[in-house]
Amino acid sequence: VHFDIFKKLDESFASNVTDEQLDYYHIVKIHTHLWALSKLKKEFIKEYKELAKHDLLALYSKEKIFDAVERYCSRKLLKKAKKLLR
């Protein structure tokens, strides 16, 4: 469900928000995907990670995502984001 919501938000956010807002948006996406991964059965994790990676990279590069997480969040979340985006 949240992939569809993020897709709609991506379409509206791309040109109507500041860089800082996009940073926070990507942080929300990371938290959402990490939460979802914590709830999934093991057999669905690999496929979900690929979908999450595609979703996260729809508007930002890995480097921009890592910069945003490093700027506003903990090193722990940065480590998790890097693992998710491998």
Side-chain angles (χ1 to χ4, degrees), residues 10 14 19 39 41 59 68 85:
D10 287 352
D19 287 344
K39 303 298 180 191
K41 291 182 180 179
L59 298 177
L85 288 169

Side-chain angles (χ1 to χ4, degrees), residues 64-76:
K64 283 190 83 168
I65 292 170
F66 298 154
D67 287 346
V69 173
E70 189 171 35
R71 187 176 313 114
Y72 300 111
C73 302
S74 67
R75 287 186 179 152
K76 184 177 179 180

Side-chain angles (χ1 to χ4, degrees), residues 12-70:
S12 66
F13 276 14
S15 62
N16 299 321
V17 297
T18 66
D19 287 344
E20 184 178 24
Q21 289 169 317
L22 272 176
D23 287 348
Y24 283 116
Y25 175 57
H26 279 83
I27 291 165
V28 167
K29 281 184 161 190
I30 290 167
H31 281 289
T32 301
H33 291 312
L34 291 173
W35 172 83
L37 283 166
S38 76
K39 303 298 180 191
L40 287 175
K41 291 182 180 179
K42 190 175 182 175
E43 66 246 31
F44 301 115
I45 289 178
K46 184 177 180 181
E47 180 182 355
Y48 184 91
K49 280 184 177 180
E50 286 302 313
L51 293 170
K53 183 177 178 179
H54 179 75
D55 175 60
L56 286 164
L57 297 175
L59 298 177
Y60 260 14
S61 67
K62 285 182 186 182
E63 292 76 24
K64 283 190 83 168
I65 292 170
F66 298 154
D67 287 346
V69 173
E70 189 171 35

